[in-house]
Amino acid sequence: MEKKFMLENLIESIIKGSKLSDADSKTLRDAIDNEIRHKPFRVAIIGQSGVGKTSTLNAVFGLKGYVADIAEGTTQIEEKIFPMGDGFNLAIYDMPGLNNDIEKDLEYEQLYKKILPTCDVIVYIINAHSKDIGEDCRILKEVVLPICQSGDTLKNIILAVNKIDTIGESMDPNDPELRWDIINNVPTQKLKECIRVKLGAISDRLIAENLVGGADAIDVDKIVFYSAVFNYNLGEFLMAITRTPRGVFWAGTVGPERLGKWSDMLLNK
């Protein structure tokens, strides 16, 4: 018997309890099947060097052993397809980061314009322990948001603040109370307070720059703070994905095992 995704089982339960005609039921099943099996879930990953794009793809999207191989100066981005089981495919675009090289940035912007409007989820990763996120704000304001506003994909953007586990070490590497509690996989009490302050400052800056919370900005519930290395707070990342238009199809097809693990993390964080 063919294995069904969790989402398909849910749809079957709804259909059985409804008064849909056989023809309407078939139309609904065909539409769901097309969304799940014949239409890859496209994800674009954007971020400056060192933000943890590869570790995020491995941790959040379940790509075992994925290694980014995008070269400096790349002007063509390859769509990488990863079969996730039962015909469901994940398509990844690892986007080059803009870096204030005017000539190269103009070329990269053309890639952004071509690819971003085709994606179901656009993950912009910010390094949590960066002293200044001004360059990230510039890229978002001058490039990413204008493209997504014109392409009606603004609702697909997730702002992912990675490496929260390193915030304390960047402040005082000699203070053991500012290091991640590896045994329990949680921040120490002192580190937790530092994280709260730093993330508050990042959120305030994003709001002040009109990048979050406005009519033409990113939704507040699309900001996530996490550690890809320690698989910490990935539950909120999952929830942000489900808030995108096609995110429910991803959540309904990644499998009960990963959903269960993330749910436990979210409930017990």
Side-chain angles (χ1 to χ4, degrees):
M1 183 177 178
E2 183 185 43
K3 177 184 175 183
K4 287 189 176 182
F5 289 122
M6 185 167 52
L7 183 62
E8 290 177 296
N9 289 326
L10 176 60
I11 295 298
E12 285 297 326
S13 298
I14 293 173
I15 289 175
K16 287 179 181 178
S18 69
K19 296 181 180 180
L20 291 175
S21 66
D22 290 343
D24 288 340
S25 296
K26 183 180 184 305
T27 298
L28 179 57
R29 287 191 182 96
D30 289 346
I32 295 298
D33 191 65
N34 180 64
E35 286 290 327
I36 292 177
R37 301 182 190 280
H38 307 299
K39 193 174 179 181
F41 190 78
R42 292 186 168 89
V43 177
I45 300 290
I46 307 172
Q48 299 185 66
S49 176
V51 296
K53 291 192 287 184
T54 297
S55 59
T56 296
L57 286 170
N58 287 328
V60 177
F61 295 98
L63 303 184
K64 297 179 180 179
Y66 173 83
V67 177
D69 58 4
I70 185 169
E72 185 177 348
T74 296
T75 56
Q76 295 293 325
I77 301 299
E78 178 184 357
E79 178 187 57
K80 297 179 181 179
I81 302 292
F82 296 88
M84 305 302 287
D86 298 329
F88 180 80
N89 292 315
L90 178 66
I92 297 294
Y93 297 94
D94 191 352
M95 307 296 291
L98 305 184
N99 55 13
N100 277 321
D101 180 321
I102 296 177
E103 186 174 338
K104 279 297 175 192
D105 282 0
L106 289 174
E107 292 184 34
Y108 290 164
E109 284 183 34
Q110 295 308 308
L111 292 176
Y112 281 37
K113 289 178 181 178
K114 178 181 177 181
I115 293 173
L116 296 190
T118 71
C119 292
D120 300 300
V121 168
I122 300 161
V123 180
Y124 189 98
I125 305 178
I126 295 173
N127 193 331
H129 72 248
S130 294
K131 292 183 179 180
D132 183 17
I133 63 168
E135 179 64 6
D136 293 303
C137 290
R138 182 192 73 82
I139 294 170
L140 286 164
K141 184 179 294 186
E142 296 180 7
V143 181
V144 177
L145 263 64
I147 290 173
C148 293
Q149 285 167 352
S150 62
D152 195 31
T153 54
L154 188 63
K155 53 189 172 294
N156 294 337
I157 300 178
I158 293 173
L159 284 183
V161 184
N162 190 20
K163 298 191 177 184
I164 63 171
D165 54 288
T166 65
I167 288 176
E169 291 183 44
S170 66
M171 298 175 65
D172 185 352
N174 298 315
D175 187 345
E177 288 300 312
L178 289 177
R179 296 174 190 165
W180 194 261
D181 181 350
I182 298 176
I183 295 176
N184 297 304
N185 196 32
V186 294
T188 64
Q189 194 59 42
K190 187 173 182 180
L191 176 57
K192 188 180 292 185
E193 178 60 22
C194 291
I195 290 174
R196 185 189 67 78
V197 172
K198 184 61 183 285
L199 299 187
I202 291 175
S203 298
D204 289 345
R205 176 70 182 275
L206 293 170
I207 292 171
E209 295 279 355
N210 296 316
L211 295 170
V212 170
D216 297 321
I218 300 166
D219 293 337
V220 173
D221 61 5
K222 299 283 183 57
I223 304 178
V224 295
F225 308 103
Y226 69 108
S227 168
V229 170
F230 289 107
N231 287 343
Y232 184 80
N233 218 32
L234 297 187
E236 289 193 1
F237 209 129
L238 173 66
M239 294 304 294
I241 293 173
T242 64
R243 294 183 186 110
T244 64
R246 285 195 77 226
V248 65
F249 293 102
W250 166 251
T253 54
V254 293
E257 181 180 346
R258 290 189 65 77
L259 282 172
K261 180 175 70 173
W262 281 342
S263 297
D264 290 341
M265 288 181 181
L266 185 61
L267 291 171
N268 299 320
K269 66 177 183 175

